[in-house]
Amino acid sequence: MIAPGFADVEAQIWMWMMAMIRPGAAMVVTPVFGAANVPVQIRIILAFMIGMVATNSASFDLPADTAISLGNFIFVLGEVLVGVAIGFSLQLGYSSVVIAGETISNAMGLGFASMSDPQTGQSTPVIGQFLTILATLLLLAIDGHLMLLAVIVESYSALPPGYAFLGAELAWGIVKFGGTLFSMGLLIALPVGGALILIQLIMGFLARTAPALNLFAVGIPVTISAGLVMLAITAPIMADTIILSLGMGLDQAALISGGK
């Protein structure tokens, strides 16, 4: 015969497992935690730990139906949508560096040079890979990963499990915030990209004044060298803009966690 206390333990573990759906869904799409090189077991353990903390900050009732029922399906669907929306908001701010890297790489003539991105497992330009690593280090330096976990835990108060749904206003807010992805990417690439445009204009004037000049032999080394120098000079300015973009992603995630 099973002791009466075991029934309470089973119900508590079941509640923790249902509470880990939201942080688990967020970690699939969020930077750092959602990287391809992060083991799935680590994500499951972190999601379970966050679910345990969340049950202490907000109480909720599990669906009274069986595991395979419409009530449980709606419960899980709401948790997944909210978790994905929170993680995707930060991912939008983080992905602006990829657009900046592609813009700078194309302007430098390094669009053909690419390498594997450990965050996504996809091939990205080398400058984009450099900016991605920089954005990851900056995200960890400003404790962005801890802020994200705090946002997920706080979301259980405003959007308790079972009543968490991504409304039309929240979805439209994510869509509008996605428009800033391209503007922030161009803003990050502006210092280096602007200098490279001036260099391209100068090379165009040289091509007109000295038609015998081989632009492929002179222009490409000059453009690449100038781009690398400008990257070193403007790195602090680009870092500030990347932090601003990451902060906007965290702010958008906080708005979603508050149900606004």
Side-chain angles (χ1 to χ4, degrees):
M1 181 177 179
I2 301 177
F6 282 96
D8 297 336
V9 172
E10 182 181 358
Q12 185 65 50
I13 293 177
W14 180 249
M15 182 175 293
W16 288 340
M17 292 181 63
M18 297 298 285
M20 68 180 287
I21 296 176
R22 185 181 302 182
M27 290 183 183
V28 172
V29 297
T30 195
V32 181
F33 298 109
N37 54 359
V38 176
V40 179
Q41 294 84 351
I42 299 298
R43 301 179 195 171
I44 294 176
I45 293 174
L46 288 176
F48 188 76
M49 294 173 62
I50 297 173
M52 294 176 61
V53 175
T55 54
N56 295 327
S57 61
S59 59
F60 60 92
D61 297 327
L62 296 176
D65 302 329
T66 58
I68 303 177
S69 62
L70 180 60
N72 276 280
F73 175 77
I74 296 176
F75 184 97
V76 173
L77 180 61
E79 291 296 290
V80 170
L81 289 178
V82 173
V84 170
I86 293 175
F88 188 65
S89 298
L90 179 58
Q91 182 66 47
L92 285 176
Y94 182 85
S95 298
S96 60
V97 299
V98 179
I99 296 178
E102 292 182 355
T103 303
I104 296 174
S105 296
N106 293 331
M108 290 177 60
L110 293 177
F112 61 89
S114 60
M115 56 190 304
S116 178
D117 186 0
Q119 291 284 337
T120 61
Q122 303 296 325
S123 179
T124 57
V126 289
I127 304 300
Q129 181 64 29
F130 165 73
L131 294 180
T132 299
I133 296 174
L134 179 61
T136 302
L137 296 177
L138 291 174
L139 179 63
L140 297 176
I142 64 175
D143 293 333
H145 59 300
L146 300 180
M147 296 179 187
L148 177 65
L149 298 182
V151 166
I152 295 174
V153 174
E154 293 173 357
S155 68
Y156 284 85
S157 300
L159 300 172
Y163 302 94
F165 293 99
L166 191 64
E169 186 176 354
L170 291 178
W172 180 244
I174 297 176
V175 173
K176 291 192 296 184
F177 179 70
T180 63
L181 167 66
F182 302 97
S183 60
M184 291 303 299
L186 295 178
L187 186 61
I188 295 172
L190 182 60
V192 180
L196 291 176
I197 291 175
L198 293 178
I199 293 175
Q200 295 292 344
L201 291 175
I202 294 174
M203 297 304 299
F205 284 122
L206 291 177
R208 297 293 295 177
T209 56
L213 182 65
N214 190 350
L215 291 179
F216 290 98
V218 178
I220 294 179
V222 170
T223 304
I224 295 177
S225 301
L228 294 177
V229 172
M230 291 303 301
L231 277 175
I233 295 176
T234 61
I237 301 175
M238 297 175 66
D240 293 338
T241 312
I242 292 173
I243 292 176
L244 177 61
S245 179
L246 295 174
M248 293 174 61
L250 290 171
D251 292 340
Q252 181 64 29
L255 290 176
I256 296 173
S257 67
K260 301 178 181 179

